[in-house]
Amino acid sequence: MQDALAVVTVVVVGVMVGVEFAVAVFVNPILDRLPDNGGIGARSDGARLLGRVMPFWYIGSMVLGAVWAALAWGDPGVWLIVTGAALLVLSGVMSVVLLVPINSRVATWTREGAPADWKQQMGRWDRYHYVRVGVIVAAFALLATALAR
């Protein structure tokens, strides 16, 4: 049971890392290069879509990490799981405190109705997102290492 939970946790977190990494490194930079501020509508649509999906993914990842840590409690190397799960919680807190407020505003924007400082807001969101990606990559690395033990 614990082995299956470990595999599911690593897969769920790994796919989440892949999505968030792709958004940070590929999708948003491409959208930002669209002519005539075309990326505003795409980012707004992305904010709405991912804003509905990602909370379940983040919370699910945290729950899986916590349950795996509880089941593995006392095992050698459990600190890898506990630290990975703690980093997932940190990423969730970062999301709620730093990224969601900006994302909620972006979800309402249109190309014609974006605020004057939209580029600054997107830049701030991107910087916070890069840090969050680093946190979840570290969590994934710790969980994958724990699975490999």
Side-chain angles (χ1 to χ4, degrees):
M1 169 72 174
Q2 185 177 325
D3 289 342
L5 176 65
V7 169
V8 168
T9 302
V10 169
V11 169
V12 168
V13 172
V15 174
M16 182 177 75
V17 166
V19 168
E20 294 290 35
F21 181 83
V23 166
V25 176
F26 300 110
V27 175
N28 283 347
I30 290 168
L31 296 178
D32 290 344
R33 288 192 298 271
L34 291 174
D36 302 321
N37 298 331
I40 293 173
R43 277 197 183 232
S44 179
D45 188 48
R48 286 188 300 276
L49 174 64
L50 293 174
R52 286 190 301 269
V53 173
M54 295 313 285
F56 296 102
W57 213 338
Y58 273 82
I59 292 167
S61 295
M62 288 181 234
V63 169
L64 287 167
V67 171
W68 182 15
L71 291 176
W73 199 255
D75 293 351
V78 71
W79 68 272
L80 293 164
I81 304 164
V82 170
T83 306
L87 287 173
L88 291 174
V89 171
L90 173 62
S91 74
V93 171
M94 289 174 62
S95 297
V96 170
V97 172
L98 301 172
L99 290 128
V100 168
I102 298 169
N103 204 58
S104 295
R105 289 191 301 272
V106 173
T108 67
W109 294 351
T110 63
R111 192 177 350 194
E112 300 79 27
D117 69 338
W118 72 269
K119 287 183 181 180
Q120 291 80 11
Q121 290 189 54
M122 289 288 69
R124 189 174 327 115
W125 189 92
D126 287 340
R127 287 188 299 279
Y128 292 150
H129 184 63
Y130 295 143
V131 174
R132 178 175 63 178
V133 168
V135 169
I136 63 174
V137 165
F140 174 69
L142 289 166
L143 295 171
T145 301
L147 177 62
R149 294 185 109 215

